[in-house]
């Protein structure tokens, strides 16, 4: 019968094998997380990442930064080298390696002295036993070791290392410098430091490490429970997935070819949902497994260290090990305190039967998690006086849905009816009367469904913008307008201040003319950080203010050069660029948001990419620039680098014609102040005329702006009129 491997040798084999190269440790080094690998393996692993960037520990994935990209700066795992030597001796004793005498050259070993810790040949054994000084030594034959003595091959602690400076043994530990020192070091380099003899400090260190291990060990049951709970939930989800698949196959068995595509879709969605849940749980399980393994690994490491490390080694690494244990207790404690699986095993499939099989396939097979589902455009957008629709899908165990539409503009509400279409499907319709933001609240069994309240934007077609709904008065000469992220309206008063109004039209603050010396402010724009950019046409400059009104920077003097302006009018901000209509220079000046010049677009003329006294500029969400080319009676659409795309409008007074266009604002439509015709003309982005409004209601037009609720603000004489 073949002799099996000695279990002690086999266990130790794992202890001396590197987890990266899977070979015997060579110059083992200790990472900050207390895992250790060959020095060369650590260097190879770190080289896969950019210099001075951390790399993950292969065991616990803890980010590790190699000091100065030099593994020699890491602590050496001395006790691993001793375990390697011990393992080698055990292998020899067990007959795996050829055993030679360690006392004379060339002899074949037949015995082992436990006190000398050396293998000996027969002659050396005889000499050894004749000497009186070795009379008490125990010498065992190799056969005796094989019969059970291998595990007794242990070593006494090695002698203390010698001081590199004084050749004295390092028997003292300096706590201030965290290093071993000799007696001479106390007098010279470490005078006045806090130190203690290693023999005296080592028991305290062992006790301290043991105490620090206790809370980490206490976390193991909770981590194990969390892992088991996640595994159990995964098993339940897998079972539910299989049940769902059987249900789907049963429901679709009689529908044949028409429902084949639907069945595939449902199975895919069901599987995707289950796989998504299982993927999240797998990530959680791996994380918890890693946490459990990391905690256990650290415990094993410390216990092996306490058992095998010398006093000097132990006290040298104590600070690192204690720090690691405390960090693990905090980190793993949070995970153990929240053991619940990140997903629940609560999903299934509902098939709502209807006569139209095609409609069934498209709309009425829903893979869900036991929660109501809403589908339809009516949960996102609607139009004034136009019916909007949506469907609510619930399970057979749930009650009839309830729905309410609430306007955030005038706080009016509508109670909506949920009409049953078929088993578990309800249709909800509504016709909004007020434009702007609404909340659509849908509940089932007195509980809001996921996503409720839904934010619905109710728009009004430009063709219905026939009469003003409000007017902001008391502004001397309003010119241009813009909105910040808080929906506050910013208006430039050509003869006065920069004024800021709230949603109700009440002035809440201003940027003073007297403080900054405005002469004739006009264009205004706001960037994503709510900084305010304002043109002063008379002073030929652009100001940049923060939201509070503090001046940040100023750009421009009179002239036609790259850093000069001549009667700047409209202004727009897009990303990190500012576009200024340089009116009398017949161009658009492009700046950075720090008001540094980038380039100039256009020159005087009537052709494409040429301007005749441009008035205003706007940039849409597709990065297209719209410039009102005033005395060419058109709006030019350009790319942000100045390439011509199209022209909107032509000189005239008919529908779609323009006469001296001033302000421009772009949302889903292009709103143009048609000053010569005393109206606001509306176009699609591709230049198709939609409608015009304002005739008879406004005079002395200039700027235009549109808020997030679709209200159009137009400058009139001494006021801002809202449509």
């Amino acid at each position: 019968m073949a002799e099996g491997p000695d279990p002690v040798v086999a266990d130790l084999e794992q202890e001396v094998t590197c987890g990266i190269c899977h070979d015997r440790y060579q110059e083992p080094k200790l990472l900050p997380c207390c895992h250790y690998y060959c020095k060369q393996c650590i260097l190879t692993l770190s080289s896969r990442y950019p210099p001075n960037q951390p790399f993950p520990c292969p065991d616990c994935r803890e980010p590790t930064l190699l000091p100065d990209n030099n593994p020699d700066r890491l602590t050496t795992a001395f006790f691993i080298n001793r375990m390697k030597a011990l393992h080698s001796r055990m292998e020899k004793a067990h007959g795996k390696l050829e055993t030679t005498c360690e006392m004379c050259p060339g002899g074949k070993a037949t015995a082992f002295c436990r006190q000398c810790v050396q293998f000996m040949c027969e002659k050396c054994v005889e000499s050894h036993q004749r000497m009186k000084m070795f009379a008490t030594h125990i010498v065992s034959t190799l056969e005796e070791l094989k019969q059970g003595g291998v595990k007794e091959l242990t070593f006494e602690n090695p002698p203390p290392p010698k001081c590199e400076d004084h050749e004295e043994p390092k028997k003292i530990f300096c706590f201030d410098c965290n290093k071993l020192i000799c007696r001479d070091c106390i007098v010279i380099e470490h005078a006045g430091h806090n130190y203690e003899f290693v023999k005296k400090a080592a028991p305290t260190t062992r006790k301290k490490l043991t105490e620090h291990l206790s809370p980490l060990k206490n976390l193991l049951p909770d981590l194990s429970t969390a892992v088991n709970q996640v595994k159990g939930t995964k098993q339940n989800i897998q079972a539910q997935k299989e049940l769902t698949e059987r249900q789907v196959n049963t429901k679709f068995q009689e529908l044949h070819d028409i429902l084949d595509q639907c069945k595939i879709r449902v199975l895919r969605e069901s599987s995707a949902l289950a796989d998504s849940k299982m993927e999240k749980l797998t990530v959680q399980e791996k994380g918890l497994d890693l946490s459990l393994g990391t905690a256990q690994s650290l415990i094993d490491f410390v216990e092996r260290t306490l058992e095998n490390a010398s006093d000097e080694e132990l006290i040298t690494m104590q600070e690192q090990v204690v720090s690691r244990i405390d960090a693990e207790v905090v980190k793993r404690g949070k995970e153990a305190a929240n053991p619940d699986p990140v997903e629940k095993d609560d999903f299934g499939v509902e098939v709502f039967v209807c006569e139209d099989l095609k409609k069934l396939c498209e709309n009425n097979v829903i893979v869900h998690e036991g929660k109501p589902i809403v589908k339809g455009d009516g949960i996102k957008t609607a139009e004034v006086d136009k019916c909007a629709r949506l469907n609510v899908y619930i399970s057979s165990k749930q009650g009839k849905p309830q729905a309410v539409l609430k306007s955030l503009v005038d706080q009016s509400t509508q109670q909506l009816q949920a009409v049953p279409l078929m088993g578990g499907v309800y249709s909800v319709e509504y016709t909004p009367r007020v434009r702007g933001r609404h909340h659509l609240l849908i509940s089932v069994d007195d509980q809001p469904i996921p996503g409720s309240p839904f934010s619905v934007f109710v728009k009004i077609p430009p063709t219905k913008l026939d009469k003003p709904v409000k007017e902001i008065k008391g502004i001397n000469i309003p010119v241009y307008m813009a909105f910040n992220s808080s929906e506050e309206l910013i208006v430039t008063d050509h003869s006065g201040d920069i004024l800021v109004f709230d949603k109700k039209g009440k002035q809440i603050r201003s940027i003073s003319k007297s403080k900054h010396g405005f002469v004739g402010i006009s264009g205004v724009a706001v960037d994503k950080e709510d900084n305010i950019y304002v043109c002063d046409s008379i002073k030929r400059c652009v100001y940049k203010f923060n939201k509070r009104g503090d001046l940040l920077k100023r750009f421009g003097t009179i002239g036609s050069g790259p850093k000069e302006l001549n009667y700047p009018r409209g202004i727009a901000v897009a990303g990190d660029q500012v576009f200024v209509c340089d009116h009398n220079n017949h161009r658009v000046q492009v700046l950075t948001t720090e008001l540094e010049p980038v380039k100039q677009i256009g020159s005087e003329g009537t052709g494409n990419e040429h301007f005749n006294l441009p008035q205003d500029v706007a940039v849409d969400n597709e990065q297209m620039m719209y410039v009102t080319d005033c005395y060419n009676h058109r709006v030019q659409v350009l790319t942000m680098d100045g390439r011509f795309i199209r022209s909107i409008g032509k000189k005239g007074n008919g529908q779609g014609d323009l006469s001296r266009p001033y302000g421009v604002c772009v949302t889903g439509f292009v709103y143009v102040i048609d000053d010569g015709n005393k109206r606001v003309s509306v176009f699609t982005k591709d230049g198709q005329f939609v409608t015009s409004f304002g005739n008879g209601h406004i005079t002395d037009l200039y700027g235009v702006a549109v808020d997030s609720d679709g209200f159009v603000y137009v400058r009139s004489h001494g006021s801002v009129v809202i449509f």
Side-chain angles (χ1 to χ4, degrees):
M1 183 175 178
E3 183 180 356
D6 187 285
V8 178
V9 177
D11 289 343
L12 199 54
E13 174 77 26
Q14 294 182 350
E15 296 291 341
V16 298
T17 300
C18 175
I20 296 179
C21 65
H22 303 294
D23 203 348
R24 300 286 172 83
Y25 283 108
Q26 301 295 325
E27 297 183 83
K29 293 289 184 177
L30 194 64
L31 297 182
C33 60
C34 294
H35 290 112
Y36 41 86
Y37 306 96
C38 303
K39 182 178 81 172
Q40 186 58 45
C41 291
I42 293 174
L43 189 60
T44 301
L45 179 62
S46 67
S47 67
R48 300 173 186 169
Y49 297 83
N52 299 318
Q53 291 294 319
F55 61 90
C57 167
D59 272 350
C60 66
R61 316 308 295 173
E62 187 79 15
T64 301
L65 188 62
L66 199 60
D68 299 328
N69 291 321
N70 183 6
D72 288 328
R73 295 284 303 277
L74 297 172
T75 303
T76 299
F78 295 106
F79 67 95
I80 296 299
N81 287 328
R82 294 171 57 216
M83 291 175 70
K84 281 177 58 182
L86 176 61
H87 177 260
S88 177
R89 293 186 181 279
M90 286 186 172
E91 285 191 321
K92 290 180 179 180
H94 206 262
K96 292 185 66 175
L97 298 177
E98 183 176 349
T99 310
T100 58
C101 180
E102 295 177 326
M103 297 187 70
C104 70
K108 184 177 181 180
T110 59
F112 180 80
C113 177
R114 299 181 185 279
Q115 281 67 38
C116 296
V117 196
Q118 286 184 320
F119 287 96
M120 304 177 186
C121 63
E122 291 182 1
K123 291 183 179 179
C124 290
V125 169
E126 292 176 1
S127 301
H128 184 272
Q129 291 177 336
R130 284 198 298 269
M131 296 182 183
K132 186 176 182 180
M133 60 184 298
F134 299 136
T136 60
H137 285 201
I138 300 174
V139 178
S140 302
T141 66
L142 297 186
E143 190 60 34
E144 289 173 338
L145 292 178
K146 291 180 183 180
Q147 296 299 324
V150 172
K151 61 177 178 290
E152 299 177 15
L153 289 176
T154 57
F155 297 115
E156 296 180 358
N157 284 337
K162 287 192 175 182
C163 177
E164 297 83 357
D165 298 326
H166 309 113
E167 293 297 321
E168 293 292 327
K170 296 180 179 179
K171 296 184 177 182
I172 302 166
F173 185 78
C174 177
F175 292 99
D176 292 342
C177 302
N178 195 36
K179 62 184 294 186
L180 292 169
I181 59 175
C182 70
R183 288 181 181 271
D184 291 348
C185 292
I186 297 174
V187 180
I188 306 172
E189 295 93 342
H190 300 267
H193 287 196
N194 180 28
Y195 57 85
E196 182 61 270
F197 281 95
V198 169
K199 289 292 185 183
K200 187 174 181 181
T204 303
T205 300
R206 293 180 185 275
K207 181 180 179 182
K208 183 178 180 181
L209 288 176
T210 302
E211 290 174 349
H212 275 73
L213 272 184
S214 180
L216 188 60
K217 286 183 176 181
N218 292 338
L219 293 177
L220 293 182
D222 291 337
L223 289 171
S224 298
T225 300
V227 170
N228 292 333
Q229 287 179 336
V230 171
K231 288 181 177 179
T233 303
K234 286 181 63 179
Q235 292 173 352
N236 292 340
I237 288 179
Q238 181 62 36
Q240 189 64 36
K241 176 184 175 183
E242 295 170 358
L243 175 61
T244 299
E245 290 176 348
R246 291 195 298 270
Q247 290 175 339
V248 171
N249 286 322
T250 299
K251 291 177 183 292
F252 283 91
Q253 187 174 2
E254 298 178 357
L255 297 180
H256 301 298
D257 295 339
I258 297 177
L259 295 180
D260 280 346
Q261 292 301 317
C262 184
K263 181 175 70 172
I264 293 171
R265 179 178 67 82
V266 173
L267 290 175
R268 183 175 63 246
E269 290 182 4
S270 172
S271 180
L273 179 57
D275 291 344
S276 174
K277 286 174 168 285
M278 293 182 68
E279 183 179 356
K280 294 177 183 177
L281 288 166
T282 298
V283 171
Q284 185 186 16
E285 180 186 10
K286 288 181 178 179
L288 290 169
D289 272 332
L290 181 61
S291 298
L292 180 61
T294 300
Q296 187 62 62
S297 174
L298 184 56
I299 291 170
D300 293 342
F301 165 76
V302 176
E303 289 178 342
R304 289 196 304 273
T305 301
L306 292 170
E307 180 180 350
N308 297 298
S310 68
D311 293 344
E312 291 81 3
E313 294 166 354
L314 187 70
I315 200 167
T316 299
M317 66 175 69
Q318 65 155 325
E319 183 174 341
Q320 176 183 353
V321 176
V322 169
S323 174
R324 180 60 183 172
I325 292 173
D326 291 344
E328 282 297 304
V329 170
V330 172
K331 185 174 182 180
R332 308 309 172 191
K334 292 179 180 178
E335 296 170 344
N338 298 282
D340 294 335
V342 296
E343 287 287 350
K344 297 181 180 180
D345 50 348
D346 59 349
F347 79 100
V349 64
E350 293 282 348
V351 179
F352 305 103
V353 180
C354 68
E355 297 299 324
D356 187 342
L357 295 181
K358 183 177 180 181
K359 184 177 180 181
L360 168 65
C361 293
E362 293 177 349
N363 300 316
N364 296 309
V365 180
I366 308 295
V367 176
H368 66 91
E369 299 185 60
K371 302 173 183 177
I373 296 175
V374 180
K375 287 191 174 184
D377 293 337
I379 61 172
K380 296 180 181 178
T381 59
E383 189 173 303
V384 171
D385 297 331
K386 188 175 181 180
C387 183
R389 297 179 176 85
L390 57 99
N391 285 345
V392 182
Y393 302 84
I394 63 175
S395 70
S396 56
K397 298 178 181 179
Q398 294 170 321
K400 182 179 178 180
Q402 296 84 42
V404 177
L405 182 69
K406 180 179 180 180
S407 168
L408 301 184
V409 178
D410 65 1
Q411 304 302 311
S412 61
T413 60
Q414 294 183 50
Q415 297 290 331
L416 310 181
Q417 292 296 319
V419 180
L421 296 180
M422 60 200 73
V425 184
Y426 288 82
S427 174
V428 177
E429 297 181 355
Y430 63 92
T431 303
R433 306 301 181 191
V434 181
R435 62 174 164 162
R437 294 287 169 185
H438 288 63
H439 274 172
L440 178 60
L441 301 93
I442 303 176
S443 60
V444 175
D445 296 333
D446 297 325
Q447 294 296 321
I449 69 172
S452 179
F454 299 94
S455 180
V456 181
F457 177 66
V458 178
K459 57 187 177 180
I460 184 171
T463 53
K464 293 187 178 183
L465 295 171
D466 52 350
K467 295 180 181 180
V469 296
K470 192 175 181 180
E471 187 174 6
I472 302 175
K473 298 182 179 181
I475 308 171
N476 190 20
I477 308 177
V479 190
Y480 287 100
M481 298 155 289
F483 290 95
N484 62 21
S485 62
S486 301
E487 286 294 303
E488 295 170 343
L489 175 67
I490 304 170
V491 182
T492 52
D493 184 342
H494 191 61
S495 64
D497 302 337
I498 302 169
L499 308 175
V500 183
F501 299 86
D502 62 17
K503 288 283 286 185
K504 296 180 179 180
K506 178 182 177 181
Q507 183 181 330
I508 53 177
R509 60 182 178 275
S510 65
I511 302 176
S512 171
K513 170 184 177 179
S514 60
K515 179 178 180 179
H516 299 287
F518 304 142
V519 178
I521 54 176
S522 54
V524 60
V526 181
D527 67 17
K528 60 185 178 182
E529 296 178 353
D530 282 343
N531 295 311
I532 303 169
Y533 301 78
V534 176
C535 295
D536 191 321
S537 300
I538 307 301
K539 294 184 76 170
R540 272 72 168 180
C541 67
V542 175
Y543 297 98
K544 178 181 178 180
F545 301 91
N546 62 22
K547 185 176 181 179
R548 297 187 304 273
D550 303 319
L551 179 63
L552 302 178
K553 199 163 186 180
R554 171 179 165 170
F555 167 83
T557 58
I558 186 169
S560 58
K563 295 185 178 181
E564 297 172 332
L565 299 167
N566 194 351
Y567 212 75
R569 301 297 290 167
I571 188 170
V573 181
D576 58 357
Q577 291 187 318
V578 180
F579 301 84
V580 182
C581 275
D582 196 356
H583 186 70
N584 287 348
N585 283 328
H586 309 283
R587 67 188 182 185
V588 174
Q589 179 92 271
V590 184
L591 313 172
T592 68
T593 50
E594 295 302 318
L595 300 188
E596 296 295 332
V598 177
K599 59 186 174 184
Q600 297 79 42
I601 295 174
S603 58
E604 185 175 8
T606 59
N608 298 336
E609 301 176 14
H610 293 274
F611 304 109
N612 188 357
L613 300 174
Q615 284 282 355
D616 197 10
V617 58
V619 179
D620 68 9
N621 56 8
E622 297 173 346
Q623 304 301 298
M624 290 295 175
M625 179 169 55
Y626 298 73
V627 181
T628 50
D629 190 1
C630 185
Y631 284 92
N632 283 327
H633 308 285
R634 64 186 178 182
V635 176
Q636 285 199 61
V637 184
L638 311 165
T639 62
M640 289 178 62
D641 58 3
R643 182 169 56 86
F644 177 81
I645 300 298
R646 70 179 66 88
S647 180
I648 297 176
K650 67 182 190 316
K651 185 177 181 179
N653 57 13
Q655 297 294 319
D657 294 337
L658 296 172
S659 176
R660 298 194 314 273
Y662 278 9
V664 61
C665 180
V666 185
T667 56
F669 296 94
V670 182
Y671 296 84
V672 183
I673 295 296
D674 189 1
D675 179 62
N677 293 316
K678 304 303 177 186
R679 65 191 180 189
V680 181
S681 291
V682 186
F683 301 85
T684 62
K685 287 186 177 182
D686 60 4
Q688 298 300 311
F689 175 73
V690 177
T691 188
S692 63
F693 62 92
N695 310 65
H697 296 291
I698 46 178
T699 59
D700 196 21
L701 293 79
Y702 223 103
V704 60
V706 181
D707 69 14
S708 63
D709 291 325
F711 290 92
V712 182
Y713 294 66
V714 181
R715 181 263 202 186
S716 186
H717 184 72
S719 67
V720 173
V721 180
I722 306 173
F723 289 83

